Amino acid sequence: MIARIRSTAQHWTRAVPVLAVVLLILVWGRSLPGALVAVVTLFLAGSVLAAVHHAEVIAHRVGEPFGSLVLAVAVTIIEVALIVTLMADGGDKSAALARDTVFAAVMITCNGIVGLCLLVGALRRRVAIFNPEGTGAALATVSTLAGLSLVLPSFTTSGTGAQFSTPQLIFAALASLVLYGLFVTTQTVRHRDYFLAPVTATGDVLDTDHAEPPSRRTALISLGHLGLALVAVVGLAKAVSPAIESGVAAAGLPSSVVGVVIALLVLLPETIAAVRAARRGRIQTSLNLGLGSAMASIGLTIPAVAAASVWLAGPLELGLGPTHMVLLALTVAAGTLTVIPGRATPLQGGVHLALFAGYIVLALSP
């Protein structure tokens, strides 16, 4: 019976991404009626679940921290493609789309995903235990990248408004790439043990997965289907983006809400994967996914939009406003106090979720 359930899950998680990509080809560049929007949304949700399944297969094969890195980088690369495409289509009205989407990704990952995972893990095991060295390094990198790329543009005087001048934008792009590259090297080569599950005083390793890892062939098949699923997620999200923009405008909400919705859709696979890992007691994996996604979102998006600004006609606004700066400062402060002990109770999870809820409320009603 269990084998039959696994076989059924394997078939639908392989079929849905292929069908979703076919649907994407059919609807690309077309105006969608309401019924077709519903069909696209259904396949979008199916592609998200399929992406989570294949990401977990790959993670189980390659182990941590490579597994969480694969999903974070794959999602972010396609997210960048979506942002650049929307900016190219939107002109001046999409000048702040990259800033809104990247900041939304930071709030979703550092507060939403991290808070939810800590809450779930602590409720199930009383205390959520993780490795403070690796988690602290990730938080420090995210904080630095966010400060350099999203805060400084609001205070520079060379550019117009909340924009970098060309030399400043080049510096921000290079700094983002270098810091992200240094972090990946630290995470996967020099100090990989900092990003693995901590060892208890008795020498036991927490968060150990005892299931037999999949074969190399199965992992490669899942890698291909993960790519298809992520292309489908982002492509179908773009296909329904006009409906999202129309809904946001009809509701009288700020245009920045579009960036929030895009980030929520794109980060949904990572959110589900992180929460499922937390339910299994794999807190370090959850934090690797959450903070790694925030870092990849900034470290890859800023260089990409900086390069795209050469041929994009409209301005590129990166600087945050005062309200968002306060939220970012609170996130960094709360994250630092959460990471230092290497263990968290439901209170810490609640603190981050409160910050995330505050961000959502202020996005809807600035």
Side-chain angles (χ1 to χ4, degrees):
M1 183 66 178
I2 295 176
R4 183 179 300 176
I5 293 174
R6 287 179 178 175
S7 177
T8 302
Q10 187 179 67
H11 280 90
W12 83 259
T13 54
R14 291 183 180 180
V16 167
V18 176
L19 294 175
V21 170
V22 172
L23 177 63
L24 174 61
I25 295 172
L26 294 176
V27 303
W28 186 259
R30 299 184 180 182
S31 178
L32 305 182
L36 196 51
V37 168
V39 173
V40 169
T41 304
L42 183 64
F43 273 92
L44 176 61
S47 298
V48 167
L49 296 176
V52 172
H53 169 78
H54 292 299
E56 290 185 336
V57 171
I58 296 167
H60 196 188
R61 172 66 187 182
V62 302
E64 282 297 315
F66 298 100
S68 57
L69 184 64
V70 168
L71 180 59
V73 173
V75 168
T76 304
I77 288 175
I78 302 176
E79 175 192 356
V80 169
L82 174 62
I83 291 173
V84 173
T85 302
L86 291 175
M87 288 180 66
D89 294 341
D92 289 350
K93 68 178 184 179
S94 63
L97 179 64
R99 177 199 65 194
D100 295 338
T101 306
V102 169
F103 184 67
V106 172
M107 290 292 106
I108 292 168
T109 52
C110 293
N111 288 320
I113 296 179
V114 169
L116 190 57
C117 291
L118 291 178
L119 182 63
V120 169
L123 287 176
R124 287 183 65 86
R125 304 205 174 193
R126 192 174 179 84
V127 175
I129 300 176
F130 51 88
N131 201 327
E133 290 89 349
T135 309
L139 179 63
T141 309
V142 170
S143 304
T144 302
L145 287 173
L148 289 176
S149 302
L150 302 178
V151 176
L152 281 182
S154 298
F155 296 96
T156 57
T157 57
S158 300
T160 303
Q163 300 176 32
F164 272 141
S165 64
T166 299
Q168 293 167 347
L169 185 60
I170 292 173
F171 164 75
L174 291 177
S176 298
L177 283 176
V178 169
L179 283 177
Y180 186 66
L182 282 173
F183 176 80
V184 171
T185 302
T186 301
Q187 184 184 35
T188 59
V189 181
R190 295 185 63 87
H191 298 284
R192 183 185 172 192
D193 55 312
Y194 287 179
F195 301 89
L196 300 178
V199 180
T200 64
T202 59
D204 297 327
V205 179
L206 298 174
D207 307 353
T208 303
D209 197 337
H210 298 287
E212 189 70 22
S215 65
R216 184 172 182 270
R217 179 176 179 273
T218 301
L220 288 174
I221 291 174
S222 286
L223 181 62
H225 282 88
L226 173 62
L228 289 176
L230 293 176
V231 169
V233 168
V234 179
L236 294 178
K238 183 183 187 301
V240 299
S241 62
I244 295 173
E245 292 174 353
S246 300
V248 168
L253 298 174
S255 59
S256 59
V257 173
V258 175
V260 177
V261 174
I262 291 173
L264 285 170
L265 288 173
V266 172
L267 290 171
L268 192 54
E270 291 165 295
T271 303
I272 297 175
V275 172
R276 288 175 66 172
R279 288 185 60 193
R280 297 169 185 162
R282 298 162 58 197
I283 305 301
Q284 189 62 52
T285 298
S286 298
L287 296 179
N288 288 346
L289 274 168
L291 295 176
S293 299
M295 195 181 317
S297 183
I298 306 174
L300 298 180
T301 301
I302 299 303
V305 296
S309 66
V310 174
W311 52 269
L312 290 176
L316 178 61
E317 295 183 9
L318 293 177
L320 297 173
T323 302
H324 285 168
M325 287 185 200
V326 171
L327 284 173
L328 181 60
L330 287 173
T331 298
V332 172
T336 302
L337 295 175
T338 297
V339 165
I340 288 174
R343 50 201 298 123
T345 65
L347 174 61
Q348 279 91 345
V351 167
H352 286 281
L353 289 176
L355 287 172
F356 177 64
Y359 165 70
I360 295 297
V361 169
L362 291 171
L364 297 176
S365 179

